[in-house]
């Protein structure tokens, strides 16, 4: 991990993920929120080539450690894990355009993705796809999750419905 000192130490992605996991496992809270990055991802210029990767990797690594911690900790002597009893949703409010702009950067893009994991979520499933041209989201068969020209555009409501179904 990345070492941090002082009051800013508790705002790192690693510290936020650790505090969130502890709050869940200790019964302090049933819902937690983690900001998985502390640096700007607003990269309209060529800085995206050096900034995006390390910033995102750090955030995703913090989430991965959170998932591993929940998965390897037994839930109250039940034989199941904390991950079996926890649903994780990770997303951003927007993504970057797949194509480079005139400033050698990337602008805001309406397509997006989300990670949903944990209790009630079938692991290893990818839902949706992007097109080869324009790299926009494809229409999807809501039942199968596979691209389908007569399907629907996935929306935040579909992700929320999945989370609510997983929670019973």
């Amino acid at each position: 991990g990345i070492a941090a000192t002082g009051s800013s130490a508790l705002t790192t992605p690693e510290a936020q993920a650790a505090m969130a996991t502890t709050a869940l496992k200790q019964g302090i809270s049933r819902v937690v929120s983690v900001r998985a990055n502390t640096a700007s991802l607003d990269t309209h210029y060529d800085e995206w080539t050096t900034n995006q990767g390390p910033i995102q990797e750090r955030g995703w690594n913090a989430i991965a450690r959170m998932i591993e911690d929940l998965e390897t900790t037994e839930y109250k002597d039940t034989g199941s894990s904390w991950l079996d009893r926890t649903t994780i949703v990770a997303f951003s409010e927007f993504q970057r355009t797949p194509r480079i702009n005139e400033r050698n950067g990337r602008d805001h893009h309406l397509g997006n993705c989300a990670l949903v994991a944990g209790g009630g979520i079938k692991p290893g499933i990818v839902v949706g796809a992007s097109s080869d041209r324009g790299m926009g989201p494809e229409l999807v068969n809501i039942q199968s999750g596979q691209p389908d020209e007569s399907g629907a555009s996935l929306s935040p409501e579909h992700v929320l419905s999945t989370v609510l179904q997983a929670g019973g």
Side-chain angles (χ1 to χ4, degrees):
I2 296 174
T5 59
S7 63
S8 66
L10 297 179
T11 63
T12 66
E14 298 84 2
Q16 285 202 14
M19 288 187 296
T21 305
T22 300
L24 291 170
K25 295 190 311 185
Q26 296 299 315
I28 296 167
S29 180
R30 295 183 66 188
V31 177
V32 295
S33 178
V34 173
R35 182 173 176 188
N37 73 351
T38 55
S40 176
L41 291 171
D42 200 15
T43 53
H44 294 274
Y45 298 90
D46 64 357
E47 76 274 20
W48 75 270
T49 61
T50 54
N51 293 359
Q52 285 281 334
I55 293 169
Q56 287 197 36
E57 182 178 22
R58 183 177 182 189
W60 287 114
N61 284 341
I63 292 169
R65 283 191 292 278
M66 188 176 173
I67 291 171
E68 290 169 2
D69 185 5
L70 293 169
E71 186 175 39
T72 58
T73 305
E74 186 176 6
Y75 179 81
K76 302 180 181 180
D77 298 322
T78 62
S80 64
S81 73
W82 272 92
L83 186 60
D84 295 329
R85 307 290 181 128
T86 306
T87 303
I88 296 171
V89 181
F91 63 93
S92 176
E93 72 275 20
F94 67 89
Q95 74 174 26
R96 292 278 152 204
T97 54
R99 298 190 191 272
I100 304 301
N101 65 24
E102 66 279 356
R103 298 176 305 274
N104 290 321
R106 294 183 171 190
D107 294 319
H108 299 206
H109 189 56
L110 294 177
N112 210 337
C113 63
L115 169 118
V116 183
I121 303 296
K122 196 182 237 184
I125 304 295
V126 175
V127 175
S130 59
S131 67
D132 290 339
R133 277 186 255 156
M135 298 179 201
E138 294 284 318
L139 298 177
V140 173
N141 177 307
I142 299 299
Q143 299 304 313
S144 71
Q146 297 302 306
D148 183 341
E149 290 180 11
S150 62
S153 240
L154 291 178
S155 67
E157 291 83 4
H158 292 108
V159 176
L160 180 58
S161 176
T162 298
V163 170
L164 291 173
Q165 283 183 335

